[in-house]
Amino acid sequence: MPITKHLFASVVFAAGAASVAHAEQLVVNSYGGPYEQIIMARIIEPFQKKTGISVIYDSVGSASQDYAKIKATRGRPGFDVVVMTASQSLDGCREGLLEKFTVKTVPNLAKLSPAINKIAGECGAVHELQYMSLIWRTDKIKSAPTSWSLLFQPELKGKVILPTFQNIMAANLVQALSAMNGGDLLENVAPGFTAMGKLAKQTLGFEQSSAVMETYIKDGQVWAMPFWNGRAQLLMDSGLPVDYTRPREGTIPLIATLNVPTGAENKAAAMKFVDFFLEKSSQEAWVTGYKVGSARPDIEVPDSVRARQITTEDDLKKLLLPDLSITAAKLPEWGDRWERDVVHAAN
């Protein structure tokens, strides 16, 4: 998952029967900011009401930092459910650090698109789909762009912000620009890094957090940037003069997953939470609340929402889809190259 979580923020959302001395509880690690507010209202509170399980909400760390903690503790990170991405799901499953899901432990897995859920492997339950969009200020850029080439236009020099390599959006942007410039998504990404070196000269800086990146476009310092489409839609809905698109050269999806570490202390409650999040009503509430796509093809959402989200296998086929296991294996090498060819070019 590509969004930085608030540090040191841990909020307990108690069920109505919180006064019961030994009530069942669950620690969920996820994101802060708008995400936290929406997951509380749309998922956590209904889950607590239905099950009586008290949820401790932990918003410390990014997805990559959370997985590093799972690795360092050999599957005992102190939380029971964590929101990560399909890449971490595959790595954690391979290393035996995440629980495998089955339709017995999580019945609603049977309702997900097999093609989409397969991407995340046996240890990841796909609870949302986003994609890296191109977002722009409509009060600064009058003609709606259709291409990543917008970011390279001379008039946008100093009006672009880029992610750091700790945000998976950076690697995805390299891949998209590579495909756009005659390379590919995995083996020949040199054209992508060459393009990123040029783009670095346009940027006013690099930020790891999507929440911080959006502050630049909110206050008008930035006129255009790559951004997850769910967050882009939230900015539009807030009344900010912005719009977003899937560039014609293609873009890459962000497949977000729910995961349970092997050493989770409240494993039974964790499985209940994962299954609840995948319920039809929960997915409908999440898609309409957080403005994302779903791996459940049977959800009923307004056409206006569906038109801009990934809700079917056909939608997924229209995107660039690199092998996530290979991508994950190449990230260390690409990270070094990013510092050398991209960050250095910006200085």
Side-chain angles (χ1 to χ4, degrees), residues 124-292:
V126 179
H127 73 289
E128 73 174 47
L129 298 164
Q130 294 194 56
Y131 56 86
M132 183 178 62
S133 69
L134 174 62
I135 185 174
W136 72 93
R137 292 272 313 204
T138 56
D139 58 341
K140 305 294 185 182
I141 300 169
K142 302 302 182 180
S143 298
T146 61
S147 168
W148 289 116
S149 62
L150 170 73
L151 300 175
F152 295 83
Q153 292 183 5
E155 58 268 30
L156 264 71
K157 185 174 178 60
K159 301 297 184 183
V160 173
I161 193 79
L162 293 174
T164 66
F165 201 76
Q166 287 68 40
N167 186 327
I168 191 62
M169 194 190 307
N172 290 166
L173 187 57
V174 168
Q175 291 172 307
L177 293 180
S178 179
M180 175 180 170
N181 288 281
D184 59 35
L185 302 177
L186 295 169
E187 302 304 329
N188 178 22
V189 294
F193 277 103
T194 299
M196 282 301 312
K198 295 176 181 177
L199 185 55
K201 299 180 187 301
Q202 294 276 87
T203 187
L204 57 80
F206 299 84
E207 293 288 352
Q208 177 178 342
S209 166
S210 296
V212 175
M213 286 179 69
E214 73 178 31
T215 64
Y216 288 86
I217 204 161
K218 279 182 176 179
D219 64 20
Q221 288 188 74
V222 160
W223 294 2
M225 65 183 187
F227 207 49
W228 303 121
N229 77 292
R231 281 183 173 263
Q233 185 66 53
L234 288 176
L235 292 178
M236 280 188 67
D237 292 347
S238 74
L240 197 71
V242 297
D243 202 348
Y244 67 97
T245 189
R246 292 182 237 182
R248 63 174 181 265
E249 300 90 359
T251 188
I252 293 174
L254 175 69
I255 299 172
T257 59
L258 300 169
N259 304 93
V260 176
T262 53
E265 294 183 7
N266 305 293
K267 203 168 293 182
M271 295 298 179
K272 291 178 184 177
F273 182 82
V274 172
D275 193 56
F276 181 84
F277 210 144
L278 300 183
E279 283 187 8
K280 182 173 182 288
S281 59
S282 298
Q283 284 288 287
E284 290 167 349
W286 189 241
V287 165
T288 55
Y290 195 50
K291 312 300 183 179
V292 292

Side-chain angles (χ1 to χ4, degrees), residues 85 107 253 263 307 344:
T85 71
H344 180 73

Side-chain angles (χ1 to χ4, degrees), residues 2-159:
I3 305 168
T4 301
K5 305 169 186 174
H6 293 311
L7 298 179
F8 311 119
S10 182
V11 182
V12 177
F13 299 113
S19 59
V20 179
H22 299 290
E24 191 175 8
Q25 70 174 29
L26 175 69
V27 180
V28 174
N29 182 287
S30 193
Y31 307 118
Y35 190 106
E36 181 175 343
Q37 301 164 25
I38 296 168
I39 196 174
M40 180 185 74
R42 304 249 172 173
I43 303 297
I44 289 176
E45 289 178 351
F47 171 76
Q48 291 182 135
K49 184 176 181 180
K50 179 178 179 179
T51 66
I53 297 172
S54 176
V55 175
I56 299 173
Y57 191 83
D58 173 19
S59 58
V60 178
S62 65
S64 58
Q65 290 168 333
D66 290 334
Y67 184 60
K69 187 174 184 180
I70 292 171
K71 287 187 69 173
T73 59
R74 299 303 303 169
R76 297 181 179 276
F79 43 75
D80 305 300
V81 178
V82 58
V83 174
M84 297 194 292
T85 71
S87 294
Q88 284 107 19
S89 295
L90 294 168
D91 284 349
C93 219
R94 185 174 58 252
E95 297 185 20
L97 299 174
L98 300 175
E99 287 290 324
K100 292 183 178 180
F101 297 129
T102 67
V103 292
K104 183 176 180 180
T105 58
V106 181
N108 276 305
L109 278 179
K111 302 296 184 179
L112 302 186
S113 159
I116 295 175
N117 208 48
K118 183 180 179 181
I119 295 171
E122 296 176 284
C123 299
V126 179
H127 73 289
E128 73 174 47
L129 298 164
Q130 294 194 56
Y131 56 86
M132 183 178 62
S133 69
L134 174 62
I135 185 174
W136 72 93
R137 292 272 313 204
T138 56
D139 58 341
K140 305 294 185 182
I141 300 169
K142 302 302 182 180
S143 298
T146 61
S147 168
W148 289 116
S149 62
L150 170 73
L151 300 175
F152 295 83
Q153 292 183 5
E155 58 268 30
L156 264 71
K157 185 174 178 60
K159 301 297 184 183

